[in-house]
Structures are given as C-alpha cells and as structure tokens.
Amino acid sequence: MKFWQSSHTFDHPWSTVTQAFWRKYPNEYQTVVYGTDTIDRYVAPDGKLHSTRLIISDWNIPGFMKFFFGDTRGYAVEYSIVDPIEQTLTLKSQNINAASLFKMREDIVYKSEGQSTDLQHEAKILFSASRLFDDAAENWLVNELTVSARKGLKGMESIIDKVEIEMQSAMAAIDELSTETIKSVDSLANDAMKSIDSSISDAEKFIDDSVDSIKKTMLSSPELSHES
C-alpha cells in the first residue's frame, strides 16, 4: 500500500474556487478526463449540498499493466459535501472498475481561509495482483498522481480566471444597469417636478385671472361699485 498527499493554497476566496471546481472538467490541462455525470444531488435539512458523480477518464496505463487491466478507461465514484456555513467542500472518491485488482481512494478538502482557500489532497493506493507487480504499479500510480495533481492545479487556476472575469463582467453589467436606473429615476423625478411646477403655475394664473375677472365685474356693476 502506498500513501500520497499534497497541499496547496489558492489566492482566491472559497466561493470562487468552489465555482471553478464544479466546472473543472474538461480542461486543457487534464485531457485524460473524458467527463463527469451527476448521479445524485440534494440539499440536506442542515443546508449542506450532497452530490454523487461518476468520473470517466483514460488511465493511460503503461505496457506492463495492460495485460491485467484490459480496458484503459477508468471509472470512479465521487461523493462530495458542500458546507456553506463552514465554507468547506469535502470529497471522497474511489475506483469502481478493476476493483479486484487495485483500490485507490482519494480524500480532498477545500477549506476557506479568509480571502484564500486551502486544499488538502490525500490518496491511498493498494494493488493485489502479485508482489512484484504491485510494487511497480503502486509506484507508477503515485507518480501519475503527482503529475495529475500539478495539471489539476493549473486547470483550476485557468478556470478560476474565467470565473473571475465572468463575475467582473456581471458586476459591471449590474453597475451599468444601476446607473441607468438611477438616471431613469432622476429623469422621471425631474419630469414630475416640471409637471408639478407647470401645474402650480397654471393654477396660480387661473386664480389671478379669476380674481381680476371678479374685480372687473365688481367695478363694472354700479350696485357692487356703490357698495364697495
């Protein structure tokens, strides 16, 4: 059995990193991953998001292992839990084909650390074909994990960049919309004030005209003029 582990810190907030995680495949750095298929997803009463996905990839196994594997495609089941309160994304995955030959279990945690995100990645690898084969196969897989993890980080960073650009564009669009809305409200307010001012002027003119008319009527009437 071999143990493997790695850690990394993303200089991006957890919300951005987790958005990028769900869009990780496919990416230009990990072309061996064909894709993913969501089998189950639900939100538990405690608000945590639970997901189960099938991950399909090309194992790209060396010649000395092909006799034992046959099919070079790998199938793994990934279980994940997103805790929005604690801001953690926890994943566990394990291969489901060739399980009688070997088992590889991965445990991954993305945890918020203020404005950055901490990644902890661990794996356990166990082959059970023959002593000579097992040791060589486990060493090969450890090396593959190291290379794959490096590519995975590059893939995540590239997707994070896309997510941030999209978020900036969205915020710019919201700001523009807000500015236009404020302008529209100001314009409507100005139009309303102009209308009110015009109505007041019309009312004042009507009152003045009415008073003048009454005065003229009183002056033109002898009886009213005498009484005054």
Side-chain angles (χ1 to χ4, degrees):
M1 177 182 288
K2 291 290 192 302
F3 295 91
W4 178 91
Q5 64 178 8
S6 176
S7 61
H8 180 75
T9 299
F10 293 96
D11 294 325
H12 308 277
W14 180 81
S15 58
T16 303
V17 174
T18 50
Q19 285 187 60
F21 169 79
W22 295 115
R23 297 166 55 178
K24 185 176 180 180
Y25 303 116
N27 68 72
E28 60 181 313
Y29 297 98
Q30 291 178 299
T31 56
V32 295
V33 179
Y34 296 133
T36 63
D37 188 12
T38 301
I39 301 171
D40 186 30
R41 177 167 288 171
Y42 65 92
V43 177
D46 59 3
K48 296 178 182 178
L49 174 65
H50 294 249
S51 302
T52 303
R53 299 194 301 174
L54 178 66
I55 300 176
I56 308 169
S57 60
D58 184 349
W59 278 340
N60 194 28
I61 58 178
F64 77 94
M65 294 174 60
K66 290 182 178 179
F67 172 78
F68 295 93
F69 279 81
D71 189 357
T72 60
R73 286 175 299 179
Y75 301 87
V77 174
E78 173 196 85
Y79 304 95
S80 65
I81 300 176
V82 177
D83 186 336
I85 303 300
E86 295 297 328
Q87 292 195 318
T88 58
L89 168 57
T90 305
L91 305 107
K92 297 182 182 295
S93 65
Q94 184 168 318
N95 63 296
I96 56 176
N97 64 323
S100 60
L101 179 62
F102 87 107
K103 293 180 180 178
M104 182 176 75
R105 175 166 178 167
E106 294 182 80
D107 293 276
I108 302 173
V109 178
Y110 293 87
K111 181 177 176 58
S112 174
E113 295 292 347
Q115 291 302 307
S116 61
T117 304
D118 179 62
L119 166 64
Q120 296 295 328
H121 188 174
E122 298 179 352
K124 296 178 182 178
I125 305 162
L126 175 63
F127 277 81
S128 54
S130 68
R131 181 174 298 179
L132 182 61
F133 173 83
D134 293 350
D135 190 56
E138 288 173 1
N139 287 333
W140 166 79
L141 194 47
V142 166
N143 291 331
E144 283 294 304
L145 265 174
T146 302
V147 173
S148 178
R150 290 171 182 167
K151 291 180 178 179
L153 292 177
K154 290 182 180 180
M156 282 288 289
E157 290 288 357
S158 67
I159 298 168
I160 286 172
D161 289 342
K162 293 178 182 178
V163 170
E164 290 186 331
I165 290 173
E166 291 173 0
M167 291 175 66
Q168 290 170 2
S169 297
M171 291 303 297
I174 291 173
D175 288 342
E176 183 178 353
L177 180 61
S178 298
T179 301
E180 291 300 321
T181 301
I182 292 173
K183 288 180 179 179
S184 296
V185 171
D186 288 342
S187 177
L188 288 172
N190 290 332
D191 290 344
M193 289 302 298
K194 289 178 181 178
S195 178
I196 292 171
D197 290 342
S198 177
S199 297
I200 292 174
S201 298
D202 291 343
E204 290 176 342
K205 185 176 183 302
F206 174 76
I207 293 172
D208 291 340
D209 291 344
S210 297
V211 170
D212 290 342
S213 177
I214 292 171
K215 286 181 177 180
K216 290 178 180 179
T217 301
M218 291 176 65
L219 292 174
S220 63
S221 173
E223 294 179 358
L224 293 176
S225 175
H226 177 72
E227 291 177 1
S228 61

PDB file of all heavy atoms in Angstrom, residues 146-183:
ATOM      1  N   THR A 146       1.010  12.554  -8.777  1.00  0.00           N
ATOM      2  CA  THR A 146       1.782  13.791  -8.619  1.00  0.00           C
ATOM      3  C   THR A 146       1.667  14.661  -9.870  1.00  0.00           C
ATOM      4  O   THR A 146       1.416  15.866  -9.784  1.00  0.00           O
ATOM      5  CB  THR A 146       3.260  13.479  -8.340  1.00  0.00           C
ATOM      6  OG1 THR A 146       3.357  12.676  -7.156  1.00  0.00           O
ATOM      7  CG2 THR A 146       4.058  14.756  -8.150  1.00  0.00           C
ATOM      8  N   VAL A 147       1.829  14.037 -11.023  1.00  0.00           N
ATOM      9  CA  VAL A 147       1.724  14.779 -12.291  1.00  0.00           C
ATOM     10  C   VAL A 147       0.311  15.287 -12.501  1.00  0.00           C
ATOM     11  O   VAL A 147       0.095  16.445 -12.893  1.00  0.00           O
ATOM     12  CB  VAL A 147       2.153  13.878 -13.471  1.00  0.00           C
ATOM     13  CG1 VAL A 147       1.890  14.581 -14.798  1.00  0.00           C
ATOM     14  CG2 VAL A 147       3.617  13.495 -13.347  1.00  0.00           C
ATOM     15  N   SER A 148      -0.667  14.422 -12.231  1.00  0.00           N
ATOM     16  CA  SER A 148      -2.070  14.793 -12.425  1.00  0.00           C
ATOM     17  C   SER A 148      -2.477  15.933 -11.495  1.00  0.00           C
ATOM     18  O   SER A 148      -3.231  16.840 -11.891  1.00  0.00           O
ATOM     19  CB  SER A 148      -2.967  13.582 -12.184  1.00  0.00           C
ATOM     20  OG  SER A 148      -4.331  13.924 -12.331  1.00  0.00           O
ATOM     21  N   ALA A 149      -1.973  15.906 -10.256  1.00  0.00           N
ATOM     22  CA  ALA A 149      -2.315  16.962  -9.298  1.00  0.00           C
ATOM     23  C   ALA A 149      -1.785  18.306  -9.771  1.00  0.00           C
ATOM     24  O   ALA A 149      -2.461  19.335  -9.644  1.00  0.00           O
ATOM     25  CB  ALA A 149      -1.750  16.621  -7.928  1.00  0.00           C
ATOM     26  N   ARG A 150      -0.572  18.315 -10.308  1.00  0.00           N
ATOM     27  CA  ARG A 150       0.004  19.562 -10.824  1.00  0.00           C
ATOM     28  C   ARG A 150      -0.827  20.097 -11.989  1.00  0.00           C
ATOM     29  O   ARG A 150      -1.104  21.299 -12.066  1.00  0.00           O
ATOM     30  CB  ARG A 150       1.443  19.332 -11.269  1.00  0.00           C
ATOM     31  CG  ARG A 150       2.414  19.084 -10.120  1.00  0.00           C
ATOM     32  CD  ARG A 150       3.765  18.661 -10.638  1.00  0.00           C
ATOM     33  NE  ARG A 150       4.701  18.369  -9.551  1.00  0.00           N
ATOM     34  CZ  ARG A 150       5.862  17.746  -9.721  1.00  0.00           C
ATOM     35  NH1 ARG A 150       6.246  17.366 -10.944  1.00  0.00           N
ATOM     36  NH2 ARG A 150       6.645  17.517  -8.680  1.00  0.00           N
ATOM     37  N   LYS A 151      -1.217  19.198 -12.881  1.00  0.00           N
ATOM     38  CA  LYS A 151      -2.054  19.617 -14.005  1.00  0.00           C
ATOM     39  C   LYS A 151      -3.410  20.094 -13.510  1.00  0.00           C
ATOM     40  O   LYS A 151      -3.976  21.048 -14.052  1.00  0.00           O
ATOM     41  CB  LYS A 151      -2.229  18.457 -14.988  1.00  0.00           C
ATOM     42  CG  LYS A 151      -0.959  18.074 -15.736  1.00  0.00           C
ATOM     43  CD  LYS A 151      -1.219  16.918 -16.688  1.00  0.00           C
ATOM     44  CE  LYS A 151       0.027  16.545 -17.474  1.00  0.00           C
ATOM     45  NZ  LYS A 151      -0.222  15.399 -18.391  1.00  0.00           N
ATOM     46  N   GLY A 152      -3.924  19.412 -12.477  1.00  0.00           N
ATOM     47  CA  GLY A 152      -5.213  19.796 -11.930  1.00  0.00           C
ATOM     48  C   GLY A 152      -5.198  21.202 -11.354  1.00  0.00           C
ATOM     49  O   GLY A 152      -6.152  21.969 -11.518  1.00  0.00           O
ATOM     50  N   LEU A 153      -4.100  21.568 -10.689  1.00  0.00           N
ATOM     51  CA  LEU A 153      -3.976  22.915 -10.143  1.00  0.00           C
ATOM     52  C   LEU A 153      -3.944  23.958 -11.257  1.00  0.00           C
ATOM     53  O   LEU A 153      -4.561  25.020 -11.149  1.00  0.00           O
ATOM     54  CB  LEU A 153      -2.714  23.019  -9.283  1.00  0.00           C
ATOM     55  CG  LEU A 153      -2.713  22.222  -7.978  1.00  0.00           C
ATOM     56  CD1 LEU A 153      -1.371  22.352  -7.274  1.00  0.00           C
ATOM     57  CD2 LEU A 153      -3.841  22.683  -7.057  1.00  0.00           C
ATOM     58  N   LYS A 154      -3.212  23.646 -12.332  1.00  0.00           N
ATOM     59  CA  LYS A 154      -3.171  24.563 -13.473  1.00  0.00           C
ATOM     60  C   LYS A 154      -4.565  24.710 -14.081  1.00  0.00           C
ATOM     61  O   LYS A 154      -4.972  25.812 -14.461  1.00  0.00           O
ATOM     62  CB  LYS A 154      -2.182  24.052 -14.517  1.00  0.00           C
ATOM     63  CG  LYS A 154      -0.723  24.140 -14.109  1.00  0.00           C
ATOM     64  CD  LYS A 154       0.187  23.658 -15.222  1.00  0.00           C
ATOM     65  CE  LYS A 154       1.655  23.749 -14.831  1.00  0.00           C
ATOM     66  NZ  LYS A 154       2.544  23.267 -15.920  1.00  0.00           N
ATOM     67  N   GLY A 155      -5.268  23.571 -14.188  1.00  0.00           N
ATOM     68  CA  GLY A 155      -6.618  23.615 -14.724  1.00  0.00           C
ATOM     69  C   GLY A 155      -7.540  24.449 -13.853  1.00  0.00           C
ATOM     70  O   GLY A 155      -8.334  25.266 -14.360  1.00  0.00           O
ATOM     71  N   MET A 156      -7.444  24.279 -12.539  1.00  0.00           N
ATOM     72  CA  MET A 156      -8.270  25.053 -11.620  1.00  0.00           C
ATOM     73  C   MET A 156      -7.971  26.542 -11.730  1.00  0.00           C
ATOM     74  O   MET A 156      -8.894  27.369 -11.761  1.00  0.00           O
ATOM     75  CB  MET A 156      -8.024  24.583 -10.185  1.00  0.00           C
ATOM     76  CG  MET A 156      -8.738  23.292  -9.823  1.00  0.00           C
ATOM     77  SD  MET A 156     -10.531  23.513  -9.649  1.00  0.00           S
ATOM     78  CE  MET A 156     -10.592  24.450  -8.117  1.00  0.00           C
ATOM     79  N   GLU A 157      -6.697  26.894 -11.785  1.00  0.00           N
ATOM     80  CA  GLU A 157      -6.327  28.311 -11.876  1.00  0.00           C
ATOM     81  C   GLU A 157      -6.868  28.933 -13.165  1.00  0.00           C
ATOM     82  O   GLU A 157      -7.325  30.081 -13.165  1.00  0.00           O
ATOM     83  CB  GLU A 157      -4.800  28.474 -11.817  1.00  0.00           C
ATOM     84  CG  GLU A 157      -4.186  28.161 -10.458  1.00  0.00           C
ATOM     85  CD  GLU A 157      -4.477  29.212  -9.407  1.00  0.00           C
ATOM     86  OE1 GLU A 157      -5.122  30.232  -9.735  1.00  0.00           O
ATOM     87  OE2 GLU A 157      -4.077  29.017  -8.248  1.00  0.00           O
ATOM     88  N   SER A 158      -6.816  28.181 -14.256  1.00  0.00           N
ATOM     89  CA  SER A 158      -7.323  28.720 -15.524  1.00  0.00           C
ATOM     90  C   SER A 158      -8.836  28.936 -15.464  1.00  0.00           C
ATOM     91  O   SER A 158      -9.349  29.923 -16.000  1.00  0.00           O
ATOM     92  CB  SER A 158      -6.969  27.788 -16.686  1.00  0.00           C
ATOM     93  OG  SER A 158      -7.664  26.557 -16.592  1.00  0.00           O
ATOM     94  N   ILE A 159      -9.536  28.018 -14.797  1.00  0.00           N
ATOM     95  CA  ILE A 159     -10.987  28.144 -14.689  1.00  0.00           C
ATOM     96  C   ILE A 159     -11.348  29.247 -13.707  1.00  0.00           C
ATOM     97  O   ILE A 159     -12.323  29.985 -13.908  1.00  0.00           O
ATOM     98  CB  ILE A 159     -11.611  26.801 -14.270  1.00  0.00           C
ATOM     99  CG1 ILE A 159     -11.327  25.745 -15.340  1.00  0.00           C
ATOM    100  CG2 ILE A 159     -13.113  26.945 -14.067  1.00  0.00           C
ATOM    101  CD1 ILE A 159     -11.626  24.333 -14.921  1.00  0.00           C
ATOM    102  N   ILE A 160     -10.567  29.382 -12.634  1.00  0.00           N
ATOM    103  CA  ILE A 160     -10.784  30.467 -11.674  1.00  0.00           C
ATOM    104  C   ILE A 160     -10.685  31.812 -12.378  1.00  0.00           C
ATOM    105  O   ILE A 160     -11.480  32.726 -12.128  1.00  0.00           O
ATOM    106  CB  ILE A 160      -9.767  30.376 -10.515  1.00  0.00           C
ATOM    107  CG1 ILE A 160     -10.133  29.215  -9.586  1.00  0.00           C
ATOM    108  CG2 ILE A 160      -9.725  31.685  -9.719  1.00  0.00           C
ATOM    109  CD1 ILE A 160      -9.094  28.910  -8.528  1.00  0.00           C
ATOM    110  N   ASP A 161      -9.699  31.937 -13.266  1.00  0.00           N
ATOM    111  CA  ASP A 161      -9.550  33.185 -14.028  1.00  0.00           C
ATOM    112  C   ASP A 161     -10.808  33.476 -14.841  1.00  0.00           C
ATOM    113  O   ASP A 161     -11.278  34.625 -14.898  1.00  0.00           O
ATOM    114  CB  ASP A 161      -8.338  33.099 -14.965  1.00  0.00           C
ATOM    115  CG  ASP A 161      -7.014  33.126 -14.208  1.00  0.00           C
ATOM    116  OD1 ASP A 161      -7.008  33.549 -13.040  1.00  0.00           O
ATOM    117  OD2 ASP A 161      -5.994  32.703 -14.790  1.00  0.00           O
ATOM    118  N   LYS A 162     -11.364  32.435 -15.458  1.00  0.00           N
ATOM    119  CA  LYS A 162     -12.589  32.611 -16.247  1.00  0.00           C
ATOM    120  C   LYS A 162     -13.753  33.017 -15.354  1.00  0.00           C
ATOM    121  O   LYS A 162     -14.557  33.893 -15.709  1.00  0.00           O
ATOM    122  CB  LYS A 162     -12.919  31.313 -16.987  1.00  0.00           C
ATOM    123  CG  LYS A 162     -11.920  30.936 -18.070  1.00  0.00           C
ATOM    124  CD  LYS A 162     -12.310  29.615 -18.719  1.00  0.00           C
ATOM    125  CE  LYS A 162     -11.284  29.210 -19.772  1.00  0.00           C
ATOM    126  NZ  LYS A 162     -11.628  27.892 -20.384  1.00  0.00           N
ATOM    127  N   VAL A 163     -13.856  32.367 -14.187  1.00  0.00           N
ATOM    128  CA  VAL A 163     -14.938  32.681 -13.248  1.00  0.00           C
ATOM    129  C   VAL A 163     -14.846  34.135 -12.797  1.00  0.00           C
ATOM    130  O   VAL A 163     -15.858  34.849 -12.745  1.00  0.00           O
ATOM    131  CB  VAL A 163     -14.886  31.746 -12.024  1.00  0.00           C
ATOM    132  CG1 VAL A 163     -15.852  32.221 -10.927  1.00  0.00           C
ATOM    133  CG2 VAL A 163     -15.234  30.317 -12.425  1.00  0.00           C
ATOM    134  N   GLU A 164     -13.630  34.585 -12.482  1.00  0.00           N
ATOM    135  CA  GLU A 164     -13.460  35.965 -12.020  1.00  0.00           C
ATOM    136  C   GLU A 164     -13.786  36.974 -13.116  1.00  0.00           C
ATOM    137  O   GLU A 164     -14.382  38.017 -12.850  1.00  0.00           O
ATOM    138  CB  GLU A 164     -12.031  36.158 -11.511  1.00  0.00           C
ATOM    139  CG  GLU A 164     -11.759  35.418 -10.203  1.00  0.00           C
ATOM    140  CD  GLU A 164     -10.396  35.727  -9.631  1.00  0.00           C
ATOM    141  OE1 GLU A 164      -9.483  36.036 -10.425  1.00  0.00           O
ATOM    142  OE2 GLU A 164     -10.239  35.655  -8.394  1.00  0.00           O
ATOM    143  N   ILE A 165     -13.403  36.648 -14.356  1.00  0.00           N
ATOM    144  CA  ILE A 165     -13.735  37.538 -15.480  1.00  0.00           C
ATOM    145  C   ILE A 165     -15.250  37.620 -15.647  1.00  0.00           C
ATOM    146  O   ILE A 165     -15.809  38.706 -15.854  1.00  0.00           O
ATOM    147  CB  ILE A 165     -13.072  37.037 -16.781  1.00  0.00           C
ATOM    148  CG1 ILE A 165     -11.550  37.224 -16.711  1.00  0.00           C
ATOM    149  CG2 ILE A 165     -13.632  37.781 -17.996  1.00  0.00           C
ATOM    150  CD1 ILE A 165     -10.801  36.608 -17.862  1.00  0.00           C
ATOM    151  N   GLU A 166     -15.923  36.477 -15.544  1.00  0.00           N
ATOM    152  CA  GLU A 166     -17.379  36.449 -15.665  1.00  0.00           C
ATOM    153  C   GLU A 166     -18.038  37.245 -14.542  1.00  0.00           C
ATOM    154  O   GLU A 166     -19.016  37.970 -14.758  1.00  0.00           O
ATOM    155  CB  GLU A 166     -17.883  35.005 -15.651  1.00  0.00           C
ATOM    156  CG  GLU A 166     -17.510  34.226 -16.904  1.00  0.00           C
ATOM    157  CD  GLU A 166     -17.869  32.750 -16.798  1.00  0.00           C
ATOM    158  OE1 GLU A 166     -18.401  32.350 -15.731  1.00  0.00           O
ATOM    159  OE2 GLU A 166     -17.620  31.996 -17.757  1.00  0.00           O
ATOM    160  N   MET A 167     -17.499  37.098 -13.322  1.00  0.00           N
ATOM    161  CA  MET A 167     -18.054  37.823 -12.180  1.00  0.00           C
ATOM    162  C   MET A 167     -17.856  39.329 -12.344  1.00  0.00           C
ATOM    163  O   MET A 167     -18.750  40.120 -12.040  1.00  0.00           O
ATOM    164  CB  MET A 167     -17.401  37.332 -10.883  1.00  0.00           C
ATOM    165  CG  MET A 167     -17.776  35.911 -10.496  1.00  0.00           C
ATOM    166  SD  MET A 167     -16.886  35.304  -9.038  1.00  0.00           S
ATOM    167  CE  MET A 167     -17.532  36.386  -7.771  1.00  0.00           C
ATOM    168  N   GLN A 168     -16.682  39.723 -12.839  1.00  0.00           N
ATOM    169  CA  GLN A 168     -16.412  41.139 -13.064  1.00  0.00           C
ATOM    170  C   GLN A 168     -17.340  41.705 -14.141  1.00  0.00           C
ATOM    171  O   GLN A 168     -17.847  42.826 -14.010  1.00  0.00           O
ATOM    172  CB  GLN A 168     -14.950  41.339 -13.470  1.00  0.00           C
ATOM    173  CG  GLN A 168     -13.956  41.080 -12.339  1.00  0.00           C
ATOM    174  CD  GLN A 168     -12.516  41.045 -12.820  1.00  0.00           C
ATOM    175  OE1 GLN A 168     -12.228  41.250 -13.999  1.00  0.00           O
ATOM    176  NE2 GLN A 168     -11.592  40.775 -11.912  1.00  0.00           N
ATOM    177  N   SER A 169     -17.561  40.910 -15.188  1.00  0.00           N
ATOM    178  CA  SER A 169     -18.470  41.350 -16.256  1.00  0.00           C
ATOM    179  C   SER A 169     -19.891  41.498 -15.728  1.00  0.00           C
ATOM    180  O   SER A 169     -20.601  42.450 -16.071  1.00  0.00           O
ATOM    181  CB  SER A 169     -18.443  40.342 -17.411  1.00  0.00           C
ATOM    182  OG  SER A 169     -17.160  40.260 -17.991  1.00  0.00           O
ATOM    183  N   ALA A 170     -20.288  40.538 -14.883  1.00  0.00           N
ATOM    184  CA  ALA A 170     -21.633  40.581 -14.303  1.00  0.00           C
ATOM    185  C   ALA A 170     -21.791  41.802 -13.399  1.00  0.00           C
ATOM    186  O   ALA A 170     -22.815  42.497 -13.444  1.00  0.00           O
ATOM    187  CB  ALA A 170     -21.909  39.304 -13.519  1.00  0.00           C
ATOM    188  N   MET A 171     -20.767  42.076 -12.579  1.00  0.00           N
ATOM    189  CA  MET A 171     -20.824  43.233 -11.688  1.00  0.00           C
ATOM    190  C   MET A 171     -20.848  44.535 -12.484  1.00  0.00           C
ATOM    191  O   MET A 171     -21.562  45.480 -12.135  1.00  0.00           O
ATOM    192  CB  MET A 171     -19.624  43.217 -10.745  1.00  0.00           C
ATOM    193  CG  MET A 171     -19.657  42.107  -9.708  1.00  0.00           C
ATOM    194  SD  MET A 171     -21.140  42.156  -8.673  1.00  0.00           S
ATOM    195  CE  MET A 171     -20.937  43.739  -7.866  1.00  0.00           C
ATOM    196  N   ALA A 172     -20.068  44.567 -13.575  1.00  0.00           N
ATOM    197  CA  ALA A 172     -20.059  45.764 -14.428  1.00  0.00           C
ATOM    198  C   ALA A 172     -21.433  45.982 -15.051  1.00  0.00           C
ATOM    199  O   ALA A 172     -21.912  47.118 -15.148  1.00  0.00           O
ATOM    200  CB  ALA A 172     -18.992  45.625 -15.507  1.00  0.00           C
ATOM    201  N   ALA A 173     -22.065  44.873 -15.466  1.00  0.00           N
ATOM    202  CA  ALA A 173     -23.399  44.973 -16.063  1.00  0.00           C
ATOM    203  C   ALA A 173     -24.414  45.459 -15.028  1.00  0.00           C
ATOM    204  O   ALA A 173     -25.296  46.269 -15.336  1.00  0.00           O
ATOM    205  CB  ALA A 173     -23.826  43.612 -16.616  1.00  0.00           C
ATOM    206  N   ILE A 174     -24.268  44.967 -13.780  1.00  0.00           N
ATOM    207  CA  ILE A 174     -25.173  45.392 -12.713  1.00  0.00           C
ATOM    208  C   ILE A 174     -24.972  46.875 -12.411  1.00  0.00           C
ATOM    209  O   ILE A 174     -25.934  47.628 -12.225  1.00  0.00           O
ATOM    210  CB  ILE A 174     -24.943  44.545 -11.445  1.00  0.00           C
ATOM    211  CG1 ILE A 174     -25.411  43.098 -11.693  1.00  0.00           C
ATOM    212  CG2 ILE A 174     -25.681  45.140 -10.247  1.00  0.00           C
ATOM    213  CD1 ILE A 174     -25.068  42.149 -10.581  1.00  0.00           C
ATOM    214  N   ASP A 175     -23.689  47.293 -12.358  1.00  0.00           N
ATOM    215  CA  ASP A 175     -23.390  48.705 -12.104  1.00  0.00           C
ATOM    216  C   ASP A 175     -23.972  49.589 -13.204  1.00  0.00           C
ATOM    217  O   ASP A 175     -24.523  50.663 -12.933  1.00  0.00           O
ATOM    218  CB  ASP A 175     -21.875  48.923 -12.016  1.00  0.00           C
ATOM    219  CG  ASP A 175     -21.284  48.346 -10.741  1.00  0.00           C
ATOM    220  OD1 ASP A 175     -22.056  48.095  -9.800  1.00  0.00           O
ATOM    221  OD2 ASP A 175     -20.053  48.126 -10.698  1.00  0.00           O
ATOM    222  N   GLU A 176     -23.812  49.129 -14.448  1.00  0.00           N
ATOM    223  CA  GLU A 176     -24.338  49.896 -15.580  1.00  0.00           C
ATOM    224  C   GLU A 176     -25.856  49.989 -15.503  1.00  0.00           C
ATOM    225  O   GLU A 176     -26.443  51.046 -15.734  1.00  0.00           O
ATOM    226  CB  GLU A 176     -23.917  49.242 -16.892  1.00  0.00           C
ATOM    227  CG  GLU A 176     -24.364  50.020 -18.125  1.00  0.00           C
ATOM    228  CD  GLU A 176     -23.896  49.379 -19.418  1.00  0.00           C
ATOM    229  OE1 GLU A 176     -23.114  48.401 -19.354  1.00  0.00           O
ATOM    230  OE2 GLU A 176     -24.317  49.846 -20.487  1.00  0.00           O
ATOM    231  N   LEU A 177     -26.474  48.839 -15.155  1.00  0.00           N
ATOM    232  CA  LEU A 177     -27.929  48.823 -15.025  1.00  0.00           C
ATOM    233  C   LEU A 177     -28.378  49.742 -13.895  1.00  0.00           C
ATOM    234  O   LEU A 177     -29.366  50.477 -14.031  1.00  0.00           O
ATOM    235  CB  LEU A 177     -28.413  47.393 -14.768  1.00  0.00           C
ATOM    236  CG  LEU A 177     -29.922  47.202 -14.600  1.00  0.00           C
ATOM    237  CD1 LEU A 177     -30.654  47.625 -15.862  1.00  0.00           C
ATOM    238  CD2 LEU A 177     -30.239  45.734 -14.281  1.00  0.00           C
ATOM    239  N   SER A 178     -27.628  49.699 -12.786  1.00  0.00           N
ATOM    240  CA  SER A 178     -27.968  50.555 -11.650  1.00  0.00           C
ATOM    241  C   SER A 178     -27.838  52.024 -12.029  1.00  0.00           C
ATOM    242  O   SER A 178     -28.688  52.848 -11.668  1.00  0.00           O
ATOM    243  CB  SER A 178     -27.050  50.241 -10.463  1.00  0.00           C
ATOM    244  OG  SER A 178     -27.209  48.902 -10.039  1.00  0.00           O
ATOM    245  N   THR A 179     -26.762  52.346 -12.757  1.00  0.00           N
ATOM    246  CA  THR A 179     -26.551  53.732 -13.195  1.00  0.00           C
ATOM    247  C   THR A 179     -27.682  54.195 -14.098  1.00  0.00           C
ATOM    248  O   THR A 179     -28.204  55.302 -13.954  1.00  0.00           O
ATOM    249  CB  THR A 179     -25.208  53.867 -13.931  1.00  0.00           C
ATOM    250  OG1 THR A 179     -24.145  53.459 -13.062  1.00  0.00           O
ATOM    251  CG2 THR A 179     -24.977  55.299 -14.375  1.00  0.00           C
ATOM    252  N   GLU A 180     -28.062  53.319 -15.056  1.00  0.00           N
ATOM    253  CA  GLU A 180     -29.149  53.667 -15.974  1.00  0.00           C
ATOM    254  C   GLU A 180     -30.464  53.802 -15.220  1.00  0.00           C
ATOM    255  O   GLU A 180     -31.291  54.670 -15.537  1.00  0.00           O
ATOM    256  CB  GLU A 180     -29.272  52.602 -17.064  1.00  0.00           C
ATOM    257  CG  GLU A 180     -28.121  52.574 -18.055  1.00  0.00           C
ATOM    258  CD  GLU A 180     -27.984  53.902 -18.793  1.00  0.00           C
ATOM    259  OE1 GLU A 180     -29.022  54.503 -19.147  1.00  0.00           O
ATOM    260  OE2 GLU A 180     -26.835  54.340 -19.001  1.00  0.00           O
ATOM    261  N   THR A 181     -30.655  52.939 -14.218  1.00  0.00           N
ATOM    262  CA  THR A 181     -31.889  53.003 -13.422  1.00  0.00           C
ATOM    263  C   THR A 181     -31.948  54.308 -12.645  1.00  0.00           C
ATOM    264  O   THR A 181     -32.993  54.962 -12.579  1.00  0.00           O
ATOM    265  CB  THR A 181     -31.955  51.810 -12.443  1.00  0.00           C
ATOM    266  OG1 THR A 181     -31.923  50.591 -13.182  1.00  0.00           O
ATOM    267  CG2 THR A 181     -33.234  51.863 -11.615  1.00  0.00           C
ATOM    268  N   ILE A 182     -30.801  54.673 -12.048  1.00  0.00           N
ATOM    269  CA  ILE A 182     -30.744  55.930 -11.298  1.00  0.00           C
ATOM    270  C   ILE A 182     -31.020  57.105 -12.223  1.00  0.00           C
ATOM    271  O   ILE A 182     -31.761  58.040 -11.882  1.00  0.00           O
ATOM    272  CB  ILE A 182     -29.368  56.091 -10.619  1.00  0.00           C
ATOM    273  CG1 ILE A 182     -29.217  55.048  -9.504  1.00  0.00           C
ATOM    274  CG2 ILE A 182     -29.202  57.499 -10.054  1.00  0.00           C
ATOM    275  CD1 ILE A 182     -27.839  55.005  -8.893  1.00  0.00           C
ATOM    276  N   LYS A 183     -30.410  57.070 -13.430  1.00  0.00           N
ATOM    277  CA  LYS A 183     -30.647  58.133 -14.401  1.00  0.00           C
ATOM    278  C   LYS A 183     -32.122  58.212 -14.776  1.00  0.00           C
ATOM    279  O   LYS A 183     -32.692  59.297 -14.901  1.00  0.00           O
ATOM    280  CB  LYS A 183     -29.800  57.905 -15.654  1.00  0.00           C
ATOM    281  CG  LYS A 183     -28.309  58.157 -15.453  1.00  0.00           C
ATOM    282  CD  LYS A 183     -27.556  57.916 -16.746  1.00  0.00           C
ATOM    283  CE  LYS A 183     -26.064  58.184 -16.576  1.00  0.00           C
ATOM    284  NZ  LYS A 183     -25.316  57.922 -17.839  1.00  0.00           N
TER     285      LYS A 183
END
